Amino acid sequence: MKRWGMSETPTVLWSRPENERPGTPLLVMFHGYGADEADLFGLAAQLPADFTVASIRAPGKAGPGYAWFPLRTDLSYSLDSVTEAAGHVQAWFDGVRTAHTSVTLLGFSQGMCMATTLLRHRPADYAAVVGLSGFVVEAQGNDYFDDAAVAAAKPEVFWGRDQADPVIPAASVEFTNTWMRAHVQLTKVLYAGIFHGINAQEMAHVSEFLQYKVLK
């Protein structure tokens, strides 16, 4: 899987021109496997207008789009591939975050893995996380994941999904549910009929969550 070089920066779609971003809260979007930075960007209009939204492209090619790391069923998958991608995103964050009043993460499917991995590395850096139809990776003792710090901070997390989601394995959902309840302040909502997707009701709930938990 082709990845960014250490000197490269990711491709990002922004909701505001650069001169209008300072002093605003930042919300960063992470798309799912095989998609790109444009996939979620249309949802920005359904979020509170206070945010500057940045939708970031994953580093590896995957079919017609991109991926944060190989699928678990791929022989090239490793936890290191997850933390490597997160490390590159973290380096990009460190260059832009000082212009913003807070940073919130929103990830769909594999993008939720990336958002929660970043949270688990430096939980104090983020105001909240929104996870849609995704899951949390099993850390397997990897020291990139500071779950003790997450449990101490109890960050705000919104997790929306459909119990009939045909994509996310049941074991991953069960691990995520157990991990969430032990480590974060969880707002969990189930949506019938969205399967592995997002609907207007869910986005309305996400907007309310952000308004109350981040902008209050």
Side-chain angles (χ1 to χ4, degrees):
M1 177 179 281
K2 180 182 181 297
R3 298 188 176 280
W4 305 323
M6 291 300 287
S7 62
E8 293 180 62
T9 55
T11 298
V12 181
L13 285 177
W14 291 91
S15 65
R16 301 180 196 267
E18 188 170 2
N19 66 318
E20 295 179 11
R21 297 173 201 163
T24 61
L26 177 64
L27 185 142
V28 182
M29 293 179 161
F30 300 86
H31 62 76
Y33 185 91
D36 63 22
E37 68 280 8
D39 187 57
L40 298 177
F41 195 64
L43 300 176
Q46 300 177 52
L47 301 175
D50 310 62
F51 285 98
T52 291
V53 176
S55 188
I56 185 170
R57 179 190 293 176
K61 284 292 294 178
Y66 300 86
W68 298 101
F69 49 86
L71 294 174
R72 288 289 299 270
T73 53
D74 192 310
L75 291 176
S76 62
Y77 171 82
S78 69
L79 200 57
D80 286 344
S81 67
V82 179
T83 59
E84 181 187 356
H88 284 305
V89 175
Q90 187 75 61
W92 172 77
F93 272 148
D94 289 344
V96 302
R97 66 184 313 118
T98 55
H100 298 277
T101 55
S102 66
V103 179
T104 298
L105 310 179
L106 183 154
F108 172 75
S109 193
Q110 194 185 71
M112 177 178 168
C113 299
M114 189 54 44
T116 52
T117 294
L118 286 158
L119 176 72
R120 294 164 73 185
H121 182 56
R122 287 185 356 200
D125 285 2
Y126 306 107
V129 169
V130 174
L132 308 176
S133 300
F135 61 100
V136 171
V137 298
E138 298 189 39
Q140 302 167 4
N142 188 300
D143 60 10
Y144 187 88
F145 299 85
D146 193 351
D147 283 349
V150 180
K154 286 285 184 180
E156 296 285 352
V157 175
F158 179 99
W159 183 27
R161 59 178 299 270
D162 186 346
Q163 286 184 301
D165 187 328
V167 173
I168 307 302
S172 296
V173 172
E174 183 55 37
F175 175 81
T176 300
N177 192 56
T178 300
W179 185 90
M180 291 280 195
R181 296 193 180 282
H183 294 86
V184 307
Q185 293 285 346
L186 178 62
T187 300
K188 181 182 177 182
V189 187
L190 298 175
Y191 300 91
I194 67 170
F195 302 106
H196 192 64
I198 301 169
N199 68 5
Q201 182 188 35
E202 183 173 32
M203 288 310 300
H205 290 158
V206 169
S207 182
E208 291 171 5
F209 170 84
L210 294 172
Q211 190 71 49
Y212 180 69
K213 301 297 186 180
V214 180
L215 301 178
K216 62 181 178 180

